[in-house]
Amino acid sequence: GVAAQTRGKLRCQSRAKPRLMTELDKAYLAGIFDGEGCVGYYNATPTSSKRPAYHHAAVIITMTDPRIIQWVKEITGLGKVSSSIKTKPRRTAYSWCIGKKTDVIAFLSIIRPYLKLKGDQVDVLLAHFALEADYVQRHGSVTPEIVESRQQITDTLKRMKREIVVEGVETRRAGSSIH
């Protein structure tokens, strides 16, 4: 890959072709994602005043072991790897991120059957994408109702991240409040 250093961050991009994933690979990816990953649907500020605000999905896995992050990049053939270089006593954090909608859908669909903690969040986002694709395909544009729906999904995912659901038992993270 190609590496570049910018403002304390190391970015590595490669055009790796994905390996054929085994069921064990998919399950391992799901475990990594459940423990160290996040999925979100975020408000984005347009780069031009002529362009309206929009939403975008992202999947991120962050950890301090670069070998796992590089393996995720290689096995999926998706996304980019970056690092945030820290000084002692903090450790450098390595991240793998995908933000292209089709890549997000593909990755989440592959690991969904194996998720234990974040399955509900993934289900919400994938269901939203399916409904939106059907609507836009039939009507040809994004309406104010779709924009409102996108904001509701953003808010729902933020709320869900404060909750932990394990095998049907709902708990709350320490110090969080659910309204």
Side-chain angles (χ1 to χ4, degrees), residues 3-4 22 25 27 33 35 45 49 55 83 87 122 132 163:
T22 66
D25 291 333
F33 178 77
T45 305
S49 61
H55 289 75
S83 66
T87 57
V122 169
E132 188 175 281
E163 302 170 359

Side-chain angles (χ1 to χ4, degrees), residues 35-67:
E36 305 294 337
C38 70
V39 61
Y41 199 49
Y42 305 101
N43 298 325
T45 305
T47 55
S48 162
S49 61
K50 295 177 183 177
R51 187 170 179 197
Y54 60 96
H55 289 75
H56 70 94
V59 171
I60 304 167
I61 297 173
T62 302
M63 54 193 347
T64 58
D65 190 329
R67 297 170 299 177

